[in-house]
Amino acid sequence: AQGGLQMPPTLAEPRLALPDSGLIASISTLDDGLVWQSASALGHTLSASAPLSVGNWQFENSTLADGAYLSARYAVKWSASENQTTLVFTVLESRTGFDRELQAFEGTLWRWLGGSAILLLMTQTLLLRWGLLPLTRMAQEVERIEHGKQDRLDGSYPQELAGLCSNLNGLIDQERARQ
């Protein structure tokens, strides 16, 4: 009736009523400082918020006596009868849940990246072996020619190696003719 801020006795979020729940809310004004804090703030010393432009959000990391918190602040212009004041709503949530979830995500990410890297390396190795198989066969045939077990390169090779194969056969034929 006098235009002052009055909060309901219970809030929609039950964690705001439990001390040490990890969720804290407060309302402050630029003139009066801290005007309301949730029951979950019991045992915490909350200070009045630094000035914030109306309609703007501010997200930051905060530190209280019991650990690190993520905080979100929002400022509104509140009019009651003829009085206008700027209210800054602040919500702090403990970083422990966020950090735990972040670690789980990082662990899952590294496992998937590691598995993908191993799979890609195995695939690359198989493709290289398959791609270089004609060269391996050609090397084996050249070795058989060196040991006298074969006279010429007889295998069928891909187009990229067919020229090399015919040139090597020509070289072998010239060498034999010279001998």
Side-chain angles (χ1 to χ4, degrees), residues 93-139:
E93 185 164 14
S94 177
R95 281 191 62 108
T96 55
F98 175 76
D99 290 340
R100 186 174 35 251
E101 210 164 308
L102 184 62
Q103 286 175 347
F105 171 75
E106 286 175 348
T108 303
L109 179 67
W110 282 114
R111 281 192 296 279
W112 276 100
L113 285 175
S116 298
I118 290 169
L119 183 65
L120 285 172
L121 285 173
M122 289 173 34
T123 304
Q124 186 177 15
T125 301
L126 290 173
L127 285 174
L128 277 172
R129 283 181 180 245
W130 176 73
L132 295 175
L133 192 60
L135 285 175
T136 304
R137 282 193 334 231
M138 186 178 278

mmCIF file of all heavy atoms in Angstrom, residues 93-139:
data_model
loop_
_atom_site.group_PDB
_atom_site.id
_atom_site.type_symbol
_atom_site.label_atom_id
_atom_site.label_comp_id
_atom_site.label_asym_id
_atom_site.label_seq_id
_atom_site.Cartn_x
_atom_site.Cartn_y
_atom_site.Cartn_z
ATOM 1 N N GLU A 93 23.895 -19.335 -8.702
ATOM 2 C CA GLU A 93 23.812 -20.796 -8.621
ATOM 3 C C GLU A 93 25.221 -21.348 -8.490
ATOM 4 O O GLU A 93 26.144 -20.902 -9.166
ATOM 5 C CB GLU A 93 23.126 -21.399 -9.840
ATOM 6 C CG GLU A 93 22.932 -22.893 -9.687
ATOM 7 C CD GLU A 93 21.929 -23.474 -10.674
ATOM 8 O OE1 GLU A 93 21.566 -22.806 -11.640
ATOM 9 O OE2 GLU A 93 21.524 -24.619 -10.448
ATOM 10 N N SER A 94 25.363 -22.321 -7.600
ATOM 11 C CA SER A 94 26.669 -22.921 -7.341
ATOM 12 C C SER A 94 27.254 -23.519 -8.616
ATOM 13 O O SER A 94 26.554 -24.126 -9.409
ATOM 14 C CB SER A 94 26.538 -24.007 -6.278
ATOM 15 O OG SER A 94 27.782 -24.635 -6.086
ATOM 16 N N ARG A 95 28.562 -23.365 -8.785
ATOM 17 C CA ARG A 95 29.239 -23.884 -9.977
ATOM 18 C C ARG A 95 29.466 -25.385 -9.910
ATOM 19 O O ARG A 95 29.842 -25.988 -10.915
ATOM 20 C CB ARG A 95 30.607 -23.214 -10.132
ATOM 21 C CG ARG A 95 30.542 -21.837 -10.718
ATOM 22 C CD ARG A 95 31.933 -21.390 -11.081
ATOM 23 N NE ARG A 95 32.495 -22.263 -12.094
ATOM 24 C CZ ARG A 95 32.681 -21.921 -13.356
ATOM 25 N NH1 ARG A 95 32.316 -20.741 -13.765
ATOM 26 N NH2 ARG A 95 33.224 -22.757 -14.205
ATOM 27 N N THR A 96 29.266 -26.025 -8.765
ATOM 28 C CA THR A 96 29.607 -27.443 -8.640
ATOM 29 C C THR A 96 28.845 -28.307 -9.641
ATOM 30 O O THR A 96 29.421 -29.156 -10.296
ATOM 31 C CB THR A 96 29.367 -27.956 -7.214
ATOM 32 O OG1 THR A 96 28.021 -27.673 -6.832
ATOM 33 C CG2 THR A 96 30.315 -27.318 -6.230
ATOM 34 N N GLY A 97 27.546 -28.095 -9.785
ATOM 35 C CA GLY A 97 26.762 -28.861 -10.746
ATOM 36 C C GLY A 97 27.204 -28.580 -12.170
ATOM 37 O O GLY A 97 27.331 -29.488 -12.993
ATOM 38 N N PHE A 98 27.449 -27.303 -12.469
ATOM 39 C CA PHE A 98 27.912 -26.910 -13.798
ATOM 40 C C PHE A 98 29.272 -27.529 -14.098
ATOM 41 O O PHE A 98 29.495 -28.078 -15.182
ATOM 42 C CB PHE A 98 27.987 -25.383 -13.877
ATOM 43 C CG PHE A 98 28.573 -24.865 -15.153
ATOM 44 C CD1 PHE A 98 27.823 -24.866 -16.323
ATOM 45 C CD2 PHE A 98 29.862 -24.381 -15.187
ATOM 46 C CE1 PHE A 98 28.367 -24.383 -17.502
ATOM 47 C CE2 PHE A 98 30.412 -23.911 -16.362
ATOM 48 C CZ PHE A 98 29.665 -23.900 -17.520
ATOM 49 N N ASP A 99 30.187 -27.449 -13.129
ATOM 50 C CA ASP A 99 31.529 -28.009 -13.328
ATOM 51 C C ASP A 99 31.477 -29.529 -13.504
ATOM 52 O O ASP A 99 32.200 -30.087 -14.333
ATOM 53 C CB ASP A 99 32.442 -27.646 -12.156
ATOM 54 C CG ASP A 99 32.795 -26.163 -12.148
ATOM 55 O OD1 ASP A 99 32.670 -25.515 -13.209
ATOM 56 O OD2 ASP A 99 33.195 -25.657 -11.088
ATOM 57 N N ARG A 100 30.624 -30.192 -12.726
ATOM 58 C CA ARG A 100 30.482 -31.641 -12.837
ATOM 59 C C ARG A 100 29.962 -32.020 -14.227
ATOM 60 O O ARG A 100 30.460 -32.930 -14.879
ATOM 61 C CB ARG A 100 29.550 -32.145 -11.732
ATOM 62 C CG ARG A 100 29.425 -33.636 -11.645
ATOM 63 C CD ARG A 100 28.604 -34.121 -10.444
ATOM 64 N NE ARG A 100 27.500 -33.285 -10.052
ATOM 65 C CZ ARG A 100 27.466 -32.541 -8.934
ATOM 66 N NH1 ARG A 100 28.489 -32.539 -8.101
ATOM 67 N NH2 ARG A 100 26.409 -31.809 -8.642
ATOM 68 N N GLU A 101 28.967 -31.280 -14.706
ATOM 69 C CA GLU A 101 28.415 -31.549 -16.036
ATOM 70 C C GLU A 101 29.441 -31.229 -17.124
ATOM 71 O O GLU A 101 29.544 -31.947 -18.129
ATOM 72 C CB GLU A 101 27.153 -30.720 -16.248
ATOM 73 C CG GLU A 101 26.188 -31.398 -17.165
ATOM 74 C CD GLU A 101 24.806 -30.794 -17.092
ATOM 75 O OE1 GLU A 101 24.260 -30.661 -15.987
ATOM 76 O OE2 GLU A 101 24.296 -30.461 -18.159
ATOM 77 N N LEU A 102 30.207 -30.167 -16.931
ATOM 78 C CA LEU A 102 31.239 -29.804 -17.894
ATOM 79 C C LEU A 102 32.317 -30.884 -17.967
ATOM 80 O O LEU A 102 32.765 -31.251 -19.059
ATOM 81 C CB LEU A 102 31.862 -28.455 -17.516
ATOM 82 C CG LEU A 102 32.892 -27.882 -18.473
ATOM 83 C CD1 LEU A 102 32.274 -27.614 -19.839
ATOM 84 C CD2 LEU A 102 33.488 -26.612 -17.898
ATOM 85 N N GLN A 103 32.719 -31.437 -16.824
ATOM 86 C CA GLN A 103 33.710 -32.517 -16.808
ATOM 87 C C GLN A 103 33.166 -33.764 -17.498
ATOM 88 O O GLN A 103 33.883 -34.431 -18.245
ATOM 89 C CB GLN A 103 34.126 -32.848 -15.378
ATOM 90 C CG GLN A 103 35.030 -31.816 -14.759
ATOM 91 C CD GLN A 103 35.323 -32.115 -13.294
ATOM 92 O OE1 GLN A 103 34.677 -32.954 -12.679
ATOM 93 N NE2 GLN A 103 36.296 -31.407 -12.751
ATOM 94 N N ALA A 104 31.912 -34.082 -17.266
ATOM 95 C CA ALA A 104 31.305 -35.244 -17.930
ATOM 96 C C ALA A 104 31.269 -35.025 -19.441
ATOM 97 O O ALA A 104 31.576 -35.939 -20.214
ATOM 98 C CB ALA A 104 29.893 -35.480 -17.393
ATOM 99 N N PHE A 105 30.915 -33.813 -19.859
ATOM 100 C CA PHE A 105 30.893 -33.499 -21.290
ATOM 101 C C PHE A 105 32.289 -33.602 -21.893
ATOM 102 O O PHE A 105 32.461 -34.185 -22.964
ATOM 103 C CB PHE A 105 30.328 -32.087 -21.505
ATOM 104 C CG PHE A 105 30.470 -31.606 -22.927
ATOM 105 C CD1 PHE A 105 29.645 -32.109 -23.922
ATOM 106 C CD2 PHE A 105 31.422 -30.661 -23.263
ATOM 107 C CE1 PHE A 105 29.771 -31.674 -25.228
ATOM 108 C CE2 PHE A 105 31.560 -30.225 -24.562
ATOM 109 C CZ PHE A 105 30.732 -30.727 -25.543
ATOM 110 N N GLU A 106 33.287 -33.040 -21.210
ATOM 111 C CA GLU A 106 34.661 -33.103 -21.720
ATOM 112 C C GLU A 106 35.145 -34.549 -21.813
ATOM 113 O O GLU A 106 35.795 -34.930 -22.783
ATOM 114 C CB GLU A 106 35.603 -32.290 -20.843
ATOM 115 C CG GLU A 106 35.455 -30.800 -21.024
ATOM 116 C CD GLU A 106 36.322 -29.999 -20.066
ATOM 117 O OE1 GLU A 106 36.874 -30.585 -19.102
ATOM 118 O OE2 GLU A 106 36.449 -28.789 -20.281
ATOM 119 N N GLY A 107 34.821 -35.353 -20.809
ATOM 120 C CA GLY A 107 35.204 -36.765 -20.841
ATOM 121 C C GLY A 107 34.572 -37.485 -22.021
ATOM 122 O O GLY A 107 35.245 -38.225 -22.745
ATOM 123 N N THR A 108 33.280 -37.258 -22.222
ATOM 124 C CA THR A 108 32.585 -37.873 -23.361
ATOM 125 C C THR A 108 33.163 -37.379 -24.681
ATOM 126 O O THR A 108 33.392 -38.171 -25.602
ATOM 127 C CB THR A 108 31.077 -37.549 -23.300
ATOM 128 O OG1 THR A 108 30.562 -38.004 -22.050
ATOM 129 C CG2 THR A 108 30.319 -38.194 -24.436
ATOM 130 N N LEU A 109 33.431 -36.086 -24.754
ATOM 131 C CA LEU A 109 33.989 -35.509 -25.977
ATOM 132 C C LEU A 109 35.335 -36.126 -26.308
ATOM 133 O O LEU A 109 35.586 -36.523 -27.447
ATOM 134 C CB LEU A 109 34.119 -33.990 -25.821
ATOM 135 C CG LEU A 109 34.710 -33.233 -26.998
ATOM 136 C CD1 LEU A 109 33.767 -33.286 -28.188
ATOM 137 C CD2 LEU A 109 34.985 -31.788 -26.608
ATOM 138 N N TRP A 110 36.231 -36.247 -25.309
ATOM 139 C CA TRP A 110 37.562 -36.821 -25.559
ATOM 140 C C TRP A 110 37.478 -38.298 -25.930
ATOM 141 O O TRP A 110 38.240 -38.774 -26.773
ATOM 142 C CB TRP A 110 38.481 -36.609 -24.354
ATOM 143 C CG TRP A 110 39.003 -35.199 -24.313
ATOM 144 C CD1 TRP A 110 38.721 -34.258 -23.363
ATOM 145 C CD2 TRP A 110 39.856 -34.573 -25.267
ATOM 146 N NE1 TRP A 110 39.340 -33.083 -23.670
ATOM 147 C CE2 TRP A 110 40.058 -33.237 -24.835
ATOM 148 C CE3 TRP A 110 40.466 -34.976 -26.444
ATOM 149 C CZ2 TRP A 110 40.851 -32.341 -25.537
ATOM 150 C CZ3 TRP A 110 41.254 -34.068 -27.139
ATOM 151 C CH2 TRP A 110 41.439 -32.782 -26.685
ATOM 152 N N ARG A 111 36.544 -39.036 -25.312
ATOM 153 C CA ARG A 111 36.379 -40.444 -25.685
ATOM 154 C C ARG A 111 35.921 -40.566 -27.140
ATOM 155 O O ARG A 111 36.452 -41.380 -27.904
ATOM 156 C CB ARG A 111 35.396 -41.141 -24.749
ATOM 157 C CG ARG A 111 36.007 -41.527 -23.407
ATOM 158 C CD ARG A 111 35.112 -42.452 -22.615
ATOM 159 N NE ARG A 111 33.857 -41.861 -22.226
ATOM 160 C CZ ARG A 111 33.682 -41.063 -21.185
ATOM 161 N NH1 ARG A 111 34.706 -40.755 -20.416
ATOM 162 N NH2 ARG A 111 32.501 -40.574 -20.903
ATOM 163 N N TRP A 112 34.953 -39.768 -27.536
ATOM 164 C CA TRP A 112 34.472 -39.817 -28.916
ATOM 165 C C TRP A 112 35.555 -39.356 -29.892
ATOM 166 O O TRP A 112 35.717 -39.944 -30.963
ATOM 167 C CB TRP A 112 33.215 -38.957 -29.080
ATOM 168 C CG TRP A 112 31.979 -39.702 -28.681
ATOM 169 C CD1 TRP A 112 31.305 -39.598 -27.502
ATOM 170 C CD2 TRP A 112 31.282 -40.682 -29.451
ATOM 171 N NE1 TRP A 112 30.232 -40.453 -27.492
ATOM 172 C CE2 TRP A 112 30.192 -41.127 -28.681
ATOM 173 C CE3 TRP A 112 31.477 -41.221 -30.709
ATOM 174 C CZ2 TRP A 112 29.298 -42.084 -29.148
ATOM 175 C CZ3 TRP A 112 30.585 -42.179 -31.169
ATOM 176 C CH2 TRP A 112 29.506 -42.599 -30.392
ATOM 177 N N LEU A 113 36.270 -38.282 -29.538
ATOM 178 C CA LEU A 113 37.336 -37.817 -30.427
ATOM 179 C C LEU A 113 38.446 -38.857 -30.540
ATOM 180 O O LEU A 113 38.977 -39.101 -31.625
ATOM 181 C CB LEU A 113 37.909 -36.483 -29.924
ATOM 182 C CG LEU A 113 37.038 -35.256 -30.165
ATOM 183 C CD1 LEU A 113 37.674 -34.034 -29.507
ATOM 184 C CD2 LEU A 113 36.829 -35.001 -31.636
ATOM 185 N N GLY A 114 38.815 -39.479 -29.424
ATOM 186 C CA GLY A 114 39.840 -40.523 -29.444
ATOM 187 C C GLY A 114 39.405 -41.718 -30.269
ATOM 188 O O GLY A 114 40.175 -42.245 -31.084
ATOM 189 N N GLY A 115 38.170 -42.158 -30.066
ATOM 190 C CA GLY A 115 37.648 -43.281 -30.838
ATOM 191 C C GLY A 115 37.591 -42.954 -32.328
ATOM 192 O O GLY A 115 37.942 -43.781 -33.170
ATOM 193 N N SER A 116 37.168 -41.734 -32.641
ATOM 194 C CA SER A 116 37.123 -41.320 -34.048
ATOM 195 C C SER A 116 38.522 -41.272 -34.653
ATOM 196 O O SER A 116 38.715 -41.681 -35.803
ATOM 197 C CB SER A 116 36.460 -39.943 -34.184
ATOM 198 O OG SER A 116 35.140 -39.985 -33.749
ATOM 199 N N ALA A 117 39.493 -40.768 -33.891
ATOM 200 C CA ALA A 117 40.873 -40.698 -34.385
ATOM 201 C C ALA A 117 41.418 -42.102 -34.652
ATOM 202 O O ALA A 117 42.049 -42.349 -35.684
ATOM 203 C CB ALA A 117 41.753 -39.964 -33.385
ATOM 204 N N ILE A 118 41.168 -43.024 -33.730
ATOM 205 C CA ILE A 118 41.637 -44.411 -33.923
ATOM 206 C C ILE A 118 40.966 -45.027 -35.143
ATOM 207 O O ILE A 118 41.620 -45.676 -35.968
ATOM 208 C CB ILE A 118 41.391 -45.243 -32.648
ATOM 209 C CG1 ILE A 118 42.344 -44.785 -31.539
ATOM 210 C CG2 ILE A 118 41.546 -46.728 -32.918
ATOM 211 C CD1 ILE A 118 42.026 -45.349 -30.175
ATOM 212 N N LEU A 119 39.659 -44.828 -35.275
ATOM 213 C CA LEU A 119 38.934 -45.356 -36.430
ATOM 214 C C LEU A 119 39.466 -44.764 -37.738
ATOM 215 O O LEU A 119 39.659 -45.484 -38.722
ATOM 216 C CB LEU A 119 37.442 -45.070 -36.281
ATOM 217 C CG LEU A 119 36.537 -45.614 -37.377
ATOM 218 C CD1 LEU A 119 36.567 -47.141 -37.369
ATOM 219 C CD2 LEU A 119 35.128 -45.107 -37.201
ATOM 220 N N LEU A 120 39.732 -43.463 -37.754
ATOM 221 C CA LEU A 120 40.266 -42.824 -38.954
ATOM 222 C C LEU A 120 41.665 -43.339 -39.285
ATOM 223 O O LEU A 120 41.988 -43.566 -40.459
ATOM 224 C CB LEU A 120 40.289 -41.307 -38.792
ATOM 225 C CG LEU A 120 38.938 -40.610 -38.890
ATOM 226 C CD1 LEU A 120 39.064 -39.138 -38.530
ATOM 227 C CD2 LEU A 120 38.352 -40.757 -40.272
ATOM 228 N N LEU A 121 42.503 -43.535 -38.264
ATOM 229 C CA LEU A 121 43.844 -44.070 -38.509
ATOM 230 C C LEU A 121 43.787 -45.491 -39.055
ATOM 231 O O LEU A 121 44.542 -45.844 -39.966
ATOM 232 C CB LEU A 121 44.674 -44.024 -37.227
ATOM 233 C CG LEU A 121 45.191 -42.649 -36.814
ATOM 234 C CD1 LEU A 121 45.839 -42.722 -35.441
ATOM 235 C CD2 LEU A 121 46.176 -42.130 -37.845
ATOM 236 N N MET A 122 42.906 -46.307 -38.495
ATOM 237 C CA MET A 122 42.759 -47.673 -39.006
ATOM 238 C C MET A 122 42.261 -47.662 -40.450
ATOM 239 O O MET A 122 42.761 -48.409 -41.297
ATOM 240 C CB MET A 122 41.810 -48.478 -38.107
ATOM 241 C CG MET A 122 42.410 -48.819 -36.766
ATOM 242 S SD MET A 122 41.298 -49.587 -35.559
ATOM 243 C CE MET A 122 40.204 -50.571 -36.494
ATOM 244 N N THR A 123 41.283 -46.811 -40.742
ATOM 245 C CA THR A 123 40.760 -46.701 -42.101
ATOM 246 C C THR A 123 41.843 -46.233 -43.064
ATOM 247 O O THR A 123 41.996 -46.774 -44.162
ATOM 248 C CB THR A 123 39.557 -45.731 -42.137
ATOM 249 O OG1 THR A 123 38.576 -46.180 -41.213
ATOM 250 C CG2 THR A 123 38.961 -45.629 -43.523
ATOM 251 N N GLN A 124 42.609 -45.239 -42.632
ATOM 252 C CA GLN A 124 43.689 -44.727 -43.474
ATOM 253 C C GLN A 124 44.743 -45.803 -43.729
ATOM 254 O O GLN A 124 45.226 -45.958 -44.848
ATOM 255 C CB GLN A 124 44.323 -43.505 -42.820
ATOM 256 C CG GLN A 124 45.355 -42.828 -43.675
ATOM 257 C CD GLN A 124 45.919 -41.583 -43.022
ATOM 258 O OE1 GLN A 124 45.742 -41.365 -41.823
ATOM 259 N NE2 GLN A 124 46.604 -40.776 -43.796
ATOM 260 N N THR A 125 45.083 -46.567 -42.708
ATOM 261 C CA THR A 125 46.058 -47.644 -42.867
ATOM 262 C C THR A 125 45.552 -48.693 -43.853
ATOM 263 O O THR A 125 46.293 -49.133 -44.743
ATOM 264 C CB THR A 125 46.341 -48.303 -41.500
ATOM 265 O OG1 THR A 125 46.830 -47.300 -40.601
ATOM 266 C CG2 THR A 125 47.360 -49.408 -41.610
ATOM 267 N N LEU A 126 44.302 -49.099 -43.720
ATOM 268 C CA LEU A 126 43.729 -50.081 -44.642
ATOM 269 C C LEU A 126 43.684 -49.546 -46.070
ATOM 270 O O LEU A 126 44.015 -50.268 -47.022
ATOM 271 C CB LEU A 126 42.330 -50.492 -44.188
ATOM 272 C CG LEU A 126 42.272 -51.340 -42.918
ATOM 273 C CD1 LEU A 126 40.819 -51.535 -42.485
ATOM 274 C CD2 LEU A 126 42.937 -52.679 -43.144
ATOM 275 N N LEU A 127 43.307 -48.290 -46.232
ATOM 276 C CA LEU A 127 43.261 -47.706 -47.576
ATOM 277 C C LEU A 127 44.655 -47.595 -48.185
ATOM 278 O O LEU A 127 44.829 -47.835 -49.387
ATOM 279 C CB LEU A 127 42.590 -46.333 -47.533
ATOM 280 C CG LEU A 127 41.079 -46.332 -47.364
ATOM 281 C CD1 LEU A 127 40.544 -44.915 -47.195
ATOM 282 C CD2 LEU A 127 40.403 -47.003 -48.542
ATOM 283 N N LEU A 128 45.658 -47.245 -47.379
ATOM 284 C CA LEU A 128 47.030 -47.175 -47.896
ATOM 285 C C LEU A 128 47.528 -48.553 -48.313
ATOM 286 O O LEU A 128 48.161 -48.699 -49.362
ATOM 287 C CB LEU A 128 47.962 -46.573 -46.845
ATOM 288 C CG LEU A 128 47.974 -45.046 -46.778
ATOM 289 C CD1 LEU A 128 48.785 -44.575 -45.584
ATOM 290 C CD2 LEU A 128 48.518 -44.458 -48.056
ATOM 291 N N ARG A 129 47.259 -49.553 -47.486
ATOM 292 C CA ARG A 129 47.668 -50.921 -47.849
ATOM 293 C C ARG A 129 46.999 -51.360 -49.150
ATOM 294 O O ARG A 129 47.641 -51.924 -50.024
ATOM 295 C CB ARG A 129 47.335 -51.903 -46.739
ATOM 296 C CG ARG A 129 48.283 -51.827 -45.591
ATOM 297 C CD ARG A 129 47.878 -52.851 -44.540
ATOM 298 N NE ARG A 129 48.803 -52.773 -43.446
ATOM 299 C CZ ARG A 129 49.624 -53.754 -43.117
ATOM 300 N NH1 ARG A 129 49.601 -54.879 -43.780
ATOM 301 N NH2 ARG A 129 50.449 -53.610 -42.108
ATOM 302 N N TRP A 130 45.720 -51.112 -49.262
ATOM 303 C CA TRP A 130 44.982 -51.494 -50.459
ATOM 304 C C TRP A 130 45.489 -50.704 -51.671
ATOM 305 O O TRP A 130 45.666 -51.249 -52.754
ATOM 306 C CB TRP A 130 43.495 -51.258 -50.234
ATOM 307 C CG TRP A 130 42.665 -51.536 -51.446
ATOM 308 C CD1 TRP A 130 42.347 -52.742 -51.975
ATOM 309 C CD2 TRP A 130 42.065 -50.556 -52.291
ATOM 310 N NE1 TRP A 130 41.571 -52.584 -53.095
ATOM 311 C CE2 TRP A 130 41.382 -51.239 -53.317
ATOM 312 C CE3 TRP A 130 42.029 -49.164 -52.270
ATOM 313 C CZ2 TRP A 130 40.675 -50.593 -54.304
ATOM 314 C CZ3 TRP A 130 41.322 -48.513 -53.265
ATOM 315 C CH2 TRP A 130 40.660 -49.235 -54.267
ATOM 316 N N GLY A 131 45.745 -49.403 -51.490
ATOM 317 C CA GLY A 131 46.201 -48.566 -52.584
ATOM 318 C C GLY A 131 47.609 -48.898 -53.039
ATOM 319 O O GLY A 131 47.953 -48.752 -54.219
ATOM 320 N N LEU A 132 48.452 -49.336 -52.121
ATOM 321 C CA LEU A 132 49.840 -49.648 -52.461
ATOM 322 C C LEU A 132 50.052 -51.120 -52.794
ATOM 323 O O LEU A 132 51.178 -51.534 -53.083
ATOM 324 C CB LEU A 132 50.763 -49.235 -51.305
ATOM 325 C CG LEU A 132 50.814 -47.720 -51.019
ATOM 326 C CD1 LEU A 132 51.659 -47.451 -49.795
ATOM 327 C CD2 LEU A 132 51.320 -46.959 -52.219
ATOM 328 N N LEU A 133 49.008 -51.916 -52.773
ATOM 329 C CA LEU A 133 49.109 -53.342 -53.078
ATOM 330 C C LEU A 133 49.702 -53.623 -54.463
ATOM 331 O O LEU A 133 50.568 -54.496 -54.593
ATOM 332 C CB LEU A 133 47.730 -53.997 -52.919
ATOM 333 C CG LEU A 133 47.696 -55.514 -52.913
ATOM 334 C CD1 LEU A 133 48.537 -56.063 -51.768
ATOM 335 C CD2 LEU A 133 46.257 -56.002 -52.799
ATOM 336 N N PRO A 134 49.321 -52.876 -55.521
ATOM 337 C CA PRO A 134 49.947 -53.125 -56.826
ATOM 338 C C PRO A 134 51.461 -52.878 -56.806
ATOM 339 O O PRO A 134 52.219 -53.619 -57.452
ATOM 340 C CB PRO A 134 49.249 -52.133 -57.771
ATOM 341 C CG PRO A 134 47.947 -51.840 -57.119
ATOM 342 C CD PRO A 134 48.201 -51.939 -55.653
ATOM 343 N N LEU A 135 51.922 -51.884 -56.064
ATOM 344 C CA LEU A 135 53.371 -51.640 -55.960
ATOM 345 C C LEU A 135 54.064 -52.786 -55.226
ATOM 346 O O LEU A 135 55.178 -53.174 -55.583
ATOM 347 C CB LEU A 135 53.646 -50.313 -55.244
ATOM 348 C CG LEU A 135 53.404 -49.047 -56.057
ATOM 349 C CD1 LEU A 135 53.592 -47.817 -55.191
ATOM 350 C CD2 LEU A 135 54.327 -48.999 -57.255
ATOM 351 N N THR A 136 53.410 -53.322 -54.211
ATOM 352 C CA THR A 136 53.980 -54.453 -53.483
ATOM 353 C C THR A 136 54.095 -55.666 -54.411
ATOM 354 O O THR A 136 55.118 -56.356 -54.422
ATOM 355 C CB THR A 136 53.087 -54.798 -52.267
ATOM 356 O OG1 THR A 136 52.945 -53.638 -51.463
ATOM 357 C CG2 THR A 136 53.687 -55.910 -51.441
ATOM 358 N N ARG A 137 53.047 -55.925 -55.201
ATOM 359 C CA ARG A 137 53.098 -57.034 -56.168
ATOM 360 C C ARG A 137 54.198 -56.828 -57.197
ATOM 361 O O ARG A 137 54.933 -57.750 -57.547
ATOM 362 C CB ARG A 137 51.745 -57.165 -56.890
ATOM 363 C CG ARG A 137 50.699 -57.853 -56.075
ATOM 364 C CD ARG A 137 49.504 -58.249 -56.923
ATOM 365 N NE ARG A 137 49.348 -57.401 -58.093
ATOM 366 C CZ ARG A 137 48.229 -56.793 -58.449
ATOM 367 N NH1 ARG A 137 47.151 -56.942 -57.722
ATOM 368 N NH2 ARG A 137 48.166 -56.046 -59.531
ATOM 369 N N MET A 138 54.354 -55.573 -57.674
ATOM 370 C CA MET A 138 55.396 -55.283 -58.652
ATOM 371 C C MET A 138 56.776 -55.502 -58.046
ATOM 372 O O MET A 138 57.667 -56.077 -58.688
ATOM 373 C CB MET A 138 55.260 -53.848 -59.172
ATOM 374 C CG MET A 138 56.232 -53.518 -60.304
ATOM 375 S SD MET A 138 56.017 -51.856 -60.934
ATOM 376 C CE MET A 138 54.657 -52.106 -62.058
ATOM 377 N N ALA A 139 56.970 -55.079 -56.804
ATOM 378 C CA ALA A 139 58.258 -55.278 -56.127
ATOM 379 C C ALA A 139 58.560 -56.761 -55.972
ATOM 380 O O ALA A 139 59.716 -57.200 -56.143
ATOM 381 C CB ALA A 139 58.246 -54.587 -54.772
#
